[in-house]
């Protein structure tokens, strides 16, 4: 008879294998980081330019320039470009990054001979048609108005603006007026200055054989712009924490954000903070989730997370709750933060967090696309190649006392900003 | 091509194992053949509430999540109209932890009153967060109710109204579990860096002695063909107007399902699709426009939705959509466009095979619908589809009498009522 009270043995995960990427240089000097693992004939190509918000001379120039790259070149109209991408079953997206502008192309390998010349054209000779810009602005203004009816969107905008300031590259928020002020010249300036071979890195992963690399050189290796975009190091965040209340009429839930500005991932406290944040609100077993959702039932979801940029970062707790639970939820949030500052974490809980996080690290090296994203982060943020293993070492060995010290440093109530968005004051 | 081995345990539970050595992980997906279509009309939202209760602990594992997290894994679940699925992704060497936990809650779920009380509140907050407090969040309440008169797809999985969830009693919970959560009503799929024989041995060890149950025969009323156009105006706390056209379309396992899938791609998939290119970019009638199908086991919906541009009326925007539909009904799709959407479908299939969890969920769903190996037929079906097929389906399906039309408008005054309750009163 099977003894179900006996759980199967859990095997510790000894090693996180991050295969080192091969690095090749194209003729114009662009470094290419290759993660070659044959599974399907699928390829992910990510290009990173130092063309983010920190390189902007006008707000929203980075995002808008990236979005309009595929809306017309001297050779191809927007419609032709869209048709070519679709015809070869590809997808091209521009995920938002505060410090860079990235292009991500997913494609079957066998279509690359058609798609890479198109990419070269988009990045060598875009025309940024006035008409496309006008339409882009109109659509985005309208979508923005919709976003502003959502309490969670408003809360995120306000807390990040509060941390960094309303004209800071990491903190400013788009507005209808800001879109209205964008001109074609702003995009041309941003493009000519920032989309240079000197500011570019390429991360390619999937089944990438030598033939494709040769093709890369004959296309993206010919991109001709040179120079340094002149990105600035943004000023430090605001120093004094504040509390804010906002009203979005007619909503059924209150959005709550509590948090504070933080460091980048090169900071010595980063790995330890990562463990601390996990305990507080970084996984389903976290204290916030267990207390506020699983015990009290105030919310469907509550979490804490951190965001890290090249020159700083931030941490915040986020949740949406029924209006009647808002005050009680805030009380419990501060209670959980205080507990971490006052009481050492029990070894049982810490063991679970250690194992959970090692498993999470393992999923980041699951398959070539994930690995390539990890590599991109390490290169972009200037982190050492063995960063994952250094993280693993801290996760395995951090002590309860060290966690308490980090909590006292970063989670003290008097250091927290607070944003509450509700239907009334 | 996704190769798998199928085993059937003595109690009727099916196990499919697919080996993928490109990953250090294993995905474990246990899918029960029960969804919101199996609910009674006065107790909607129950299948989904029950999914929450499955995390409330079992006799030998009082906390479900702790051991999975200790094993370095993650778990979650989803419920839809057709199925309820529980999945875990964990380091392959710790796969057995998933077997232990998942079998224990199938055999010995705790029926804890506190868990029920808390999860009722959690689900009501989920209802608010995803439907009532989200702009346009109750659209599926409207469309389901307009398009279906007898079939249980007439309520969404989250439930018709929060009150149904608030009313759930422990007796309902026990009876639901006894009826549906039996090994012979479940399909287990394991994908990843594993050995099929080892996995089979684990399945026999942990699930083999769980008794089979008597599964109620599913006898759902078929939705009769729609005869007349349906139209409704909904109002909500939204800044922009929106319109939705919902057409009945074929069931998931019919060949014509794939034909209408390609039709939806022609209209709405990608920056070169007809609605996006012609109506949004060229004629500037919309700020957003999309077309997709619900993909349900029983006949589902083919949905076109859009938000008109500034100064464009809903009527004018809708007319433009019907012009595009008229073209699909009349003219054959050109060769290059057909090749384009087939290329896109192929790429989508290949990219979906890169994740072990995706593969596990898809295999389980096809096995529940009849045969897991259907997953390997899809590419061939897409390839066999002709321009004539597309015109034939556009002709029979995209007609006003098969359509539910919903106009969504901002409220005239800012005043809040639970919108689902409002739709019930109509």
């Amino acid at each position: 008879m099977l003894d179900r009270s006996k759980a199967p043995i859990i095997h510790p995960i000894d090693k996180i294998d991050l295969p080192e990427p091969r690095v090749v240089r194209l003729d114009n000097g662009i470094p290419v980081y290759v993660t070659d693992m044959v599974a399907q004939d699928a390829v992910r190509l990510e290009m990173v330019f130092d063309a983010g918000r920190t390189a902007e001379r006008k707000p929203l120039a980075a995002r808008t320039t990236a979005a309009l790259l595929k809306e017309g070149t001297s050779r191809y109209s927007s419609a032709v470009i869209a048709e070519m991408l679709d015809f070869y079953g590809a997808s091209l997206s521009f995920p938002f990054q505060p410090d860079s502008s990235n292009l991500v192309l997913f494609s079957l390998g066998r279509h690359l001979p058609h798609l890479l010349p198109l990419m070269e054209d988009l990045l060598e000779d875009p025309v940024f048609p006035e008409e496309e810009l006008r339409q882009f602005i109109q659509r985005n203004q309208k979508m923005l108005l919709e976003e502003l009816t959502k309490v969670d969107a408003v809360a995120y905008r306000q807390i990040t603006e509060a941390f960094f300031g309303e004209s800071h590259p990491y903190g400013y928020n788009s507005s209808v007026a800001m879109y209205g002020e964008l001109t074609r010249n702003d995009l041309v300036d941003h493009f000519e200055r920032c989309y240079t071979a000197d500011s570019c890195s390429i991360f390619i992963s999937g089944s990438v054989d030598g033939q494709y690399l040769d093709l890369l050189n004959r296309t993206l290796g010919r991109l001709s712009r040179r120079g340094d975009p002149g990105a600035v190091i943004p000023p430090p965040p605001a120093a004094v924490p504040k509390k804010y209340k906002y009203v979005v009429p007619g909503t059924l839930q209150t959005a709550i954000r509590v948090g504070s500005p933080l460091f980048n991932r090169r900071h010595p406290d980063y790995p330890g903070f990562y463990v601390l944040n996990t305990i507080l609100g970084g996984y389903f077993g976290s204290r916030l989730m267990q207390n506020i959702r699983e015990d009290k039932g105030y919310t469907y979801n509550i979490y804490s997370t951190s965001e890290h940029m090249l020159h700083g970062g931030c941490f915040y707790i986020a949740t949406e709750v029924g209006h009647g639970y808002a005050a009680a939820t805030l009380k419990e949030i501060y209670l959980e933060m205080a507990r971490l500052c006052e009481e050492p974490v029990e070894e049982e809980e810490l063991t679970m967090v250690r194992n959970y996080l090692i498993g999470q690290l393992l999923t980041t090296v699951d398959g070539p696309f994930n690995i390539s994203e990890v590599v991109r982060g390490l290169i972009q943020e200037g982190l050492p190649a063995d960063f994952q293993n250094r993280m693993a070492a801290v996760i395995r060995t951090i002590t309860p006392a060290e966690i308490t010290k980090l909590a006292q440093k970063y989670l003290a109530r008097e250091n927290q900003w607070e944003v509450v968005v509700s239907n009334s004051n | 091509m996704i190769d798998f081995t199928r085993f059937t345990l003595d109690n009727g539970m099916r196990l499919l194992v697919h080996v993928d050595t490109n990953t250090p992980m294993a995905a474990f997906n246990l899918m029960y053949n029960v969804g919101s279509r199996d609910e009674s009309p006065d107790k909607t939202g129950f299948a989904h509430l029950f999914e929450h209760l499955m995390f409330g602990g079992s006799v030998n594992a009082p906390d479900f999540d702790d051991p999975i997290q200790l094993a370095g894994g993650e778990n979650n679940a989803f419920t839809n109209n057709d199925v309820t699925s529980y999945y875990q992704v964990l380091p392959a060497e710790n796969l057995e932890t998933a077997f232990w936990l998942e079998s224990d809650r199938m055999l010995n779920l705790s029926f804890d009153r506190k868990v029920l009380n808390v999860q009722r509140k959690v689900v009501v907050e989920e209802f608010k967060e995803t439907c009532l407090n989200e702009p346009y969040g109750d659209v599926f309440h409207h469309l389901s109710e307009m398009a279906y008169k007898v079939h249980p797809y007439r309520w969404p999985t989250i439930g018709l109204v929060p009150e149904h969830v608030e009313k759930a009693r422990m007796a309902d919970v026990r009876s639901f579990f006894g009826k549906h959560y039996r090994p012979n009503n479940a399909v287990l799929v394991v994908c990843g860096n594993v050995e099929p024989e080892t996995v089979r041995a684990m399945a026999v060890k942990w699930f083999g002695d769980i008794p089979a149950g008597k599964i109620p025969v599913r006898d759902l009323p078929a939705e009769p063909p729609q005869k007349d156009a349906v139209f409704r105006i909904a109002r909500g706390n939204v800044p922009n107007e929106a319109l939705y056209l919902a057409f009945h379309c074929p069931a998931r396992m019919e060949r014509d399902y794939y034909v209408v899938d390609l039709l939806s791609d022609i209209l709405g998939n990608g920056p070169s699709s007809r609605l996006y290119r012609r109506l949004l970019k060229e004629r500037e009638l919309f700020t957003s426009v999309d077309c997709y199908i619900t993909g349900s086991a029983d006949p589902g919906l083919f949905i076109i939705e859009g938000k008109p541009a500034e100064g464009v009326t809903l009527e004018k925007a809708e007319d433009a959509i019907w012009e595009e539909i008229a073209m699909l009904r009349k003219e054959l799709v050109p060769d290059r466009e057909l090749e384009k959407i087939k290329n896109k479908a192929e790429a989508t299939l290949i990219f979906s095979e890169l994740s072990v969890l995706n593969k596990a969920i898809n295999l389980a769903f096809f096995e529940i619908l009849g045969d897991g190996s259907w997953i390997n037929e899809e590419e061939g079906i897409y390839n066999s589809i002709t321009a004539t097929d597309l015109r034939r389906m556009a002709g029979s399906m995209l007609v006003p009498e098969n359509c539910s039309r919903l106009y969504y408008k901002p409220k005239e005054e800012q005043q809040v009522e639970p919108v689902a309750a409002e739709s019930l009163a109509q």
Side-chain angles (χ1 to χ4, degrees), chain A residues 12 72-73 89-90 93 107 121 144 151-152 169 173 179 217 223 253 280 286 310 321 340 347-348 394 404 418:
Chain A
T73 69
S93 62
S107 155
D121 196 45
L144 176 60
V151 286
D152 55 336
N173 284 311
Y179 275 114
N217 209 17
L223 293 178
Q253 284 183 312
L280 176 64
S286 72
L310 276 187
V321 301
L340 279 166
E347 197 48 56
E348 195 185 327
V394 172
T404 306
E418 184 185 296

Side-chain angles (χ1 to χ4, degrees), chain A residues 60 140-141 144 148 157 172-181:
Chain A
L60 301 180
N140 278 273
Q141 286 173 327
L144 176 60
L148 294 178
R157 285 166 60 95
Y172 80 77
N173 284 311
S174 60
S175 67
V176 168
M178 210 182 267
Y179 275 114
E181 282 166 23

Side-chain angles (χ1 to χ4, degrees), chain B residues 85-205:
Chain B
S85 208
Y86 299 85
Y87 56 87
Q88 332 200 354
V89 179
L90 65 183
E93 51 265 62
N94 287 334
L95 175 63
E96 193 164 1
T97 300
F99 274 92
W100 169 58
L101 286 166
E102 207 63 79
S103 63
D104 206 54
R105 66 178 171 181
M106 188 194 281
L107 185 65
N108 292 313
L109 187 68
S110 307
F111 293 95
D112 185 312
R113 274 189 193 284
K114 167 155 189 201
V115 171
L116 176 61
N117 289 339
V118 169
Q119 292 305 319
R120 277 192 304 229
K121 283 161 77 180
V122 169
V123 171
V124 168
E125 289 302 319
E126 182 180 357
F127 203 127
K128 287 186 198 162
E129 194 170 320
T130 57
C131 300
L132 306 181
N133 203 35
E134 177 71 18
Y136 318 99
D138 62 344
V139 158
F140 268 83
H141 282 86
H142 288 294
L143 292 179
S144 307
E145 188 183 66
M146 291 161 73
Y148 294 98
K149 298 302 167 202
V150 301
H151 191 281
Y153 285 172
R154 67 187 185 273
W155 57 83
T157 302
I158 190 78
L160 200 53
V161 284
E163 290 71 29
H164 282 188
V165 173
E166 282 165 354
K167 279 194 321 216
R169 294 287 161 262
M170 193 51 97
D172 305 326
V173 172
R174 285 182 182 278
S175 115
F176 191 84
F177 182 74
K179 267 201 279 196
H180 301 291
Y181 278 67
R182 299 289 86 215
N184 46 326
N185 201 35
V187 168
L188 171 60
V189 179
V190 175
C191 291
N193 211 330
V194 296
E195 267 287 319
E197 268 309 316
T198 319
V199 177
R200 187 190 67 85
M202 285 185 201
V204 170
K205 175 178 168 188

Side-chain angles (χ1 to χ4, degrees), chain A residues 228-243:
Chain A
D228 180 350
V232 298
I233 295 179
V240 186
K242 273 191 182 166
K243 289 184 169 29

Side-chain angles (χ1 to χ4, degrees), chain A residues 291-306:
Chain A
N291 177 355
I292 294 166
R293 172 177 146 150
E294 292 296 290
D295 187 61
K296 310 277 188 325
Y298 293 159
T299 183
Y300 172 51
N301 194 17
I302 181 163
Y303 61 90
S304 66
T305 187
S306 63

Side-chain angles (χ1 to χ4, degrees), chain A residues 144-284:
Chain A
L144 176 60
L145 292 178
E146 198 172 307
E147 279 300 296
L148 294 178
T149 64
K150 302 179 187 170
V151 286
D152 55 336
V154 172
Y156 177 79
R157 285 166 60 95
Q158 297 309 328
I159 194 130
T160 44
E161 183 180 294
F163 291 155
F164 296 104
E166 60 183 17
S167 55
H168 192 285
Y170 299 156
Y172 80 77
N173 284 311
S174 60
S175 67
V176 168
M178 210 182 267
Y179 275 114
E181 282 166 23
L182 277 174
T183 66
R184 180 176 175 276
N185 282 343
D186 298 324
L187 310 192
V188 172
D189 167 71
H190 191 78
F191 176 78
E192 292 291 340
R193 190 163 42 82
C194 304
Y195 282 74
T196 66
D198 300 303
S199 89
C200 179
S201 313
I202 293 176
F203 301 85
I204 187 164
S205 52
S207 45
V208 191
D209 64 21
Q211 207 187 334
Y212 298 152
L213 293 174
D214 196 45
L215 186 64
L216 267 182
N217 209 17
R218 281 185 281 117
T219 51
L220 304 176
R222 296 194 306 192
L223 293 178
S224 66
R225 281 179 186 75
R226 311 303 305 217
D228 180 350
V232 298
I233 295 179
V240 186
K242 273 191 182 166
K243 289 184 169 29
Y244 300 85
K245 277 196 163 182
Y246 297 90
V247 173
V248 175
T251 59
L252 296 179
Q253 284 183 312
T254 300
I256 295 172
R257 299 289 181 275
V258 172
S260 43
L262 219 61
F263 37 69
N264 65 20
R265 291 208 295 165
R266 290 196 301 273
H267 193 282
D269 284 344
Y270 172 74
F273 186 86
Y274 183 64
V275 177
L276 171 67
N277 176 63
T278 306
I279 298 170
L280 176 64
Y283 74 127
F284 193 81

